[in-house]
């Protein structure tokens, strides 16, 4: 059963705490992405990674960190520096981000909903 | 319709009607466009894509139209069903040509289908 798995589905963060959201894919995709979605809003790019051991900041990277030590895994840490972390977080992957056309299609996980206690 | 950067518009239709969801994009260099469907509490799901060298592409019950002259994209859903109720996003490969695959997403359109 191939796909993108995000865990946990729901996560609660205490003030001053760092939390890590998991994203695993078994699609053998090169690229992985993290997005934040606020209620009634579109998707905003946090970080993305083209290949293992490389990642780039997206549009709203402040207060977040990532790692890409394995091709199939791209965890996102929401740090205490992120003052408004309550949102729906989506992970995605694509086959080959340098190719044209359909290899740019991003496939999404089911999301993690993060709330602040 | 939606436009990258504007807030969420809504579209209400009756079951069986055809739906048209619009999207305006700003980057004339964009060469690839995708429509996604997002149901409540779930991740976006790929519907259909189109390259900039095409102006129309058809799938099962869906058609995407691309007008590069006015930088406009639309998604047509034939015989809309209650299961089509969701938020629909357009996305563009904003860098054009060779790129890192970064997609720029529109804000989305809420489609509600009434039985």
């Amino acid at each position: 059963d191939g796909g993108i798995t995000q865990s946990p589905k729901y996560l609660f963060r205490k003030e001053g705490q760092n939390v890590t959201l998991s994203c695993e894919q078994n699609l053998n995709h090169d690229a992985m992405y993290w997005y934040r979605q606020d209620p009634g809003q579109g998707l905003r790019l946090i970080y993305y990674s083209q290949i293992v051991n490389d990642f780039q900041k997206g549009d709203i990277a402040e207060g977040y960190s990532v790692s890409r030590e394995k091709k199939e895994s791209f965890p996102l840490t929401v740090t205490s520096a992120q003052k408004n972390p309550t949102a729906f977080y989506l992970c995605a992957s694509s086959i080959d981000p340098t190719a044209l056309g359909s290899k740019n299609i991003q496939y999404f996980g089911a999301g993690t909903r993060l709330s602040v206690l | 319709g939606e436009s990258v950067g504007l807030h969420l518009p809504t579209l209400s239709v009756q079951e069986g009607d055809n739906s048209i969801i619009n999207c305006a994009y700003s980057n004339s260099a964009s060469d690839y466009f995708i429509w996604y469907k997002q149901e409540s509490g779930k991740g976006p799901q790929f519907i259909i894509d189109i390259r900039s060298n095409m102006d129309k592409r058809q799938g099962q019950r869906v058609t995407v139209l691309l007008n590069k002259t006015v930088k406009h994209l639309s998604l047509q859903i034939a015989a809309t069903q209650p299961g089509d109720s969701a938020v629909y996003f357009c996305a563009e490969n904003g860098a054009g040509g060779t790129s890192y695959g970064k997609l720029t997403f529109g804000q989305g359109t809420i489609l509600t289908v009434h039985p």
Side-chain angles (χ1 to χ4, degrees), chain A residues 9 33 35 37 40-43 45 48 50 57-59 88 90 94 97-111 113, chain B residues 6-8 31-32 34 36 38 40-46 49 51 87 89 93 96-108:
Chain A
K9 189 170 177 64
Y33 311 81
Y35 293 91
Q37 186 176 35
Q41 301 292 312
L43 282 68
L45 183 64
Y48 64 101
Q50 277 188 284
K57 292 182 178 180
D59 301 318
F88 190 48
L90 288 158
S94 63
T98 62
L100 300 177
S102 63
K103 292 184 178 180
N104 276 321
I105 297 173
Q106 292 183 20
Y107 297 92
F108 286 83
R113 192 165 299 279
Chain B
L6 297 183
H7 289 286
L8 221 57
D31 67 349
Y32 184 62
I34 304 173
Y36 285 93
Q38 186 178 25
S40 181
K42 297 183 180 179
Q45 180 182 16
F46 169 80
D49 59 349
R51 294 283 303 272
V87 179
F89 294 96
N93 181 332
T98 56
S99 75
Y100 293 125
K102 287 178 63 178
L103 296 178
T104 300
F105 286 82
Q107 294 294 74

Side-chain angles (χ1 to χ4, degrees), chain B:
Chain B
E2 70 175 271
S3 178
V4 175
L6 297 183
H7 289 286
L8 221 57
T10 60
L11 175 65
S12 291
V13 301
Q14 291 296 126
E15 183 177 1
D17 287 351
N18 295 333
S19 303
I20 300 176
I21 300 170
N22 298 301
C23 176
Y25 64 94
S26 57
N27 189 347
S28 57
S30 293
D31 67 349
Y32 184 62
F33 304 88
I34 304 173
W35 279 100
Y36 285 93
K37 171 186 179 182
Q38 186 178 25
E39 297 176 83
S40 181
K42 297 183 180 179
Q45 180 182 16
F46 169 80
I47 302 173
I48 192 168
D49 59 349
I50 189 167
R51 294 283 303 272
S52 60
N53 60 355
M54 303 171 69
D55 53 21
K56 180 179 180 179
R57 189 164 189 217
Q58 287 185 289
Q60 187 178 15
R61 280 201 309 119
V62 295
T63 300
V64 56
L65 299 177
L66 175 62
N67 185 332
K68 295 181 289 294
T69 302
V70 295
K71 291 186 285 188
H72 184 268
L73 194 68
S74 69
L75 177 71
Q76 300 178 2
I77 305 173
T80 315
Q81 302 166 1
D84 294 327
S85 294
V87 179
Y88 289 81
F89 294 96
C90 65
E92 61 177 305
N93 181 332
T98 56
S99 75
Y100 293 125
K102 287 178 63 178
L103 296 178
T104 300
F105 286 82
Q107 294 294 74
T109 295
I110 301 173
L111 175 64
T112 303
V113 182
H114 300 283

Side-chain angles (χ1 to χ4, degrees), chain A residues 27-66:
Chain A
L27 301 168
N28 200 33
H29 285 178
D30 286 335
M32 297 187 74
Y33 311 81
W34 274 106
Y35 293 91
R36 170 179 173 141
Q37 186 176 35
D38 292 284
Q41 301 292 312
L43 282 68
R44 292 186 290 168
L45 183 64
I46 305 173
Y47 268 98
Y48 64 101
S49 168
Q50 277 188 284
I51 57 172
V52 175
N53 293 322
D54 182 67
F55 49 83
Q56 306 294 329
K57 292 182 178 180
D59 301 318
I60 55 165
E62 186 174 350
Y64 300 97
S65 66
V66 293

